[in-house]
Amino acid sequence: MRRFRRDPLGYIEDCALQSGAEVFRLPWGAWCVRDTELALTVLRDPVFHSGMSTFFGSMLPSRTAQVALGRAVRDLMRAHLPAYRQCVAGAAAGLGPVSQWPQAGPLLVYRCTADVLLHPGAPSALRQQMAQAVAAGLTARQPTMRQRARAEMLRPRLLSAITEHVRSRRTQGPAADEPRDVLDAVIGAGPEEFTDRTVADLYLLLFQSIVGNIGYAVAWSLLLACLHHGPGRSWPWPADWLVREAARHRPFVWMVGRPVPHPLEFGGLPFAAGTVLSVSPYLLHHDPQRWDRPEMFRPERWNEPGGQGPYLPFSAGPFTCAGAAVAHSLTSEAVTALAQDARLAVSGGDARPLVSGSVLPRPFTLCRTLKAPAQAALTKGGE
Ligand code: HEM
């Protein structure tokens, strides 16, 4: 366990290398599928996925309700994309020449999703509390005890403020036909007998998926691109390749696992009901049989015919992330805005991950220098 805590990704890579079997035991008792083909079979298996997704825990009553909520939030985020694109350009400009990451990632994403998370007519005190939660790091499990304590301290008060606001919205009844924000979507997708507190818990879960997951994906993309490309020159890669490669190299969700719902057999091995079976996107993304030099960060692989192996930053199969496509767009838009007309360089960071529930980048400083306007623009009109 000590070895695992020191370097979880290195530890599972070693286990996978040393294990002769198709699955190996994780320090917390779950099983992890080592073989890539078998891992993909497990992720797509309909019987393994006949229960409910663990993402929502036991907060929703049925798989149908889980799917409906995922789709409602995804549709809302998709409709918000044009407004986000506009906002993120301004937010990138307002970032200043020096910014501290990775915390700047969730802050930037929050700034441009605040109105779709909680519409502008919602109590400003609650909106302020949400902003404070983002600043304190409540968007992901933080790596150190001190950071975790600072973030988690805010959770009870935030949850009770959201619960209070849910009560008031539900008392007033729906204000419009369409959801105005993610909170309306959660209220609308849940059954009436839902407690206000369950709505608040679900809302916070989705809030973290949007602000945290995307914010840290932006941070990883910037860090890895700057580490692999000298300062002073524009990146030779489109944001799309960059974001994909960052999520391959350092997938924010490095392990997905769930209990086996019925006794099942995979790769000739029997698994009793309740056994936790996991697949690691990190291992699959670094399988040398399926990726060319997987240890290297190479965005150009996304332009090479046949250059891609199994790619599952959003998991795969029936329980794939409902927001996968929109999350990719939101991340790419932010990276594009930050790199637009600017030279980027990082200091203080490296590619080693901090694993604490998710895969977070180590702190780094981003220096953003605006490129001099082109001569033609300066002399517009021929003067
Ligand atoms: C970079 C950003 C994101 C990453 C890396 C990510 C990753 C994931 C992963 C790996 C899962 C599967 C979890 C499991 O099987 O246990 C998942 C589930 C889910 N994600 Fe995301 N996610 C991201 C952003 C989002 C966004 C923006 C939304 C909302 C629009 C979202 C909504 C969901 C939902 C609803 C599920 C549960 C799906 C289901 O059970 O049907 N995610 N996400």
Side-chain angles (χ1 to χ4, degrees):
M1 199 68 195
R2 253 204 318 273
R3 169 79 237 281
F4 170 79
R5 282 214 189 94
R6 214 171 39 236
D7 177 13
L9 301 183
Y11 177 89
I12 60 156
E13 268 179 321
D14 285 352
C15 289
L17 267 175
Q18 284 158 18
S19 167
E22 311 235 318
V23 295
F24 60 88
R25 201 76 189 250
L26 292 163
W28 54 92
W31 291 93
C32 180
V33 186
R34 180 190 61 82
D35 178 73
T36 294
E37 214 42 61
L38 187 61
L40 294 172
T41 305
V42 166
L43 280 180
R44 291 174 188 142
D45 188 87
V47 182
F48 184 44
H49 295 90
S50 54
M52 295 219 267
S53 129
T54 41
F55 176 85
F56 292 109
S58 54
M59 288 190 276
L60 285 158
S62 64
R63 181 64 193 145
T64 314
Q66 292 186 332
V67 172
L69 176 54
R71 288 192 182 152
V73 177
R74 174 205 58 199
D75 291 348
L76 198 63
M77 294 309 297
R78 198 189 277 152
H80 182 66
L81 259 172
Y84 174 89
R85 190 173 299 132
Q86 245 185 6
C87 177
V88 87
L95 200 63
V98 176
S99 49
Q100 300 309 321
W101 292 72
Q103 63 269 35
L107 285 170
L108 181 102
V109 173
Y110 177 67
R111 187 167 154 193
C112 299
T113 52
D115 288 356
V116 70
L117 287 165
L118 208 54
H119 74 85
S124 57
L126 179 56
R127 281 167 61 97
Q128 232 166 1
Q129 257 181 283
M130 307 256 302
Q132 278 163 5
V134 178
L138 197 60
T139 50
R141 187 180 144 85
Q142 294 299 318
T144 68
M145 292 280 275
R146 201 154 152 255
Q147 288 169 310
R148 261 201 306 277
R150 180 172 168 250
E152 289 302 324
M153 219 168 64
L154 302 184
R155 187 186 292 272
R157 222 165 60 84
L158 180 63
L159 265 174
S160 69
I162 300 171
T163 307
E164 191 52 48
H165 183 58
V166 170
R167 187 169 307 132
S168 127
R169 275 201 199 188
R170 289 174 111 187
T171 312
Q172 284 163 15
D177 290 342
E178 295 295 315
R180 292 160 298 174
D181 56 21
V182 172
L183 189 55
D184 271 352
V186 180
I187 293 173
E192 266 174 38
E193 59 272 22
F194 246 26
T195 65
D196 298 329
R197 175 54 193 255
T198 306
V199 173
D201 283 331
L202 278 167
Y203 175 74
L204 202 55
L205 174 71
L206 289 158
F207 162 79
Q208 289 177 320
S209 283
I210 295 167
V211 179
N213 295 19
I214 296 172
Y216 289 106
V218 173
W220 269 122
S221 305
L222 295 176
L223 174 65
L224 294 169
C226 288
L227 289 175
H228 290 84
H229 196 69
R233 289 176 299 140
S234 303
W235 296 332
W237 320 290
D240 177 57
W241 305 356
L242 198 53
V243 169
R244 278 179 206 282
E245 181 64 353
R248 181 201 67 81
H249 196 54
R250 295 288 179 257
F252 184 72
V253 179
W254 65 288
M255 187 72 82
V256 289
R258 57 185 56 95
V260 175
H262 317 285
L264 274 177
E265 206 178 285
F266 284 116
L269 295 167
F271 293 94
T275 311
V276 176
L277 192 54
S278 310
V279 166
S280 167
Y282 177 83
L283 277 185
L284 267 65
H285 290 179
H286 289 82
D287 179 352
Q289 311 294 322
R290 307 295 291 267
W291 293 90
D292 171 34
R293 293 164 289 159
E295 70 294 349
M296 288 181 71
F297 177 79
R298 283 200 319 113
E300 54 275 22
R301 74 171 80 242
W302 292 94
N303 194 35
E304 290 165 359
Q308 303 93 38
Y311 180 64
L312 38 145
F314 301 103
S315 191
F319 291 173
T320 308
C321 172
V326 78
H328 177 75
S329 303
L330 293 164
T331 310
S332 306
E333 292 289 353
V335 171
T336 303
L338 286 159
Q340 188 90 40
D341 302 325
R343 300 198 192 288
L344 304 180
V346 294
S347 60
D350 62 55
R352 288 172 307 144
L354 282 170
V355 183
S356 98
S358 343
V359 172
L360 304 177
R362 284 164 199 269
F364 65 95
T365 302
L366 179 76
C367 299
R368 187 167 179 272
T369 320
L370 290 181
K371 285 182 196 162
Q375 198 63 19
L378 277 176
T379 58
K380 206 170 170 216
E383 307 90 79

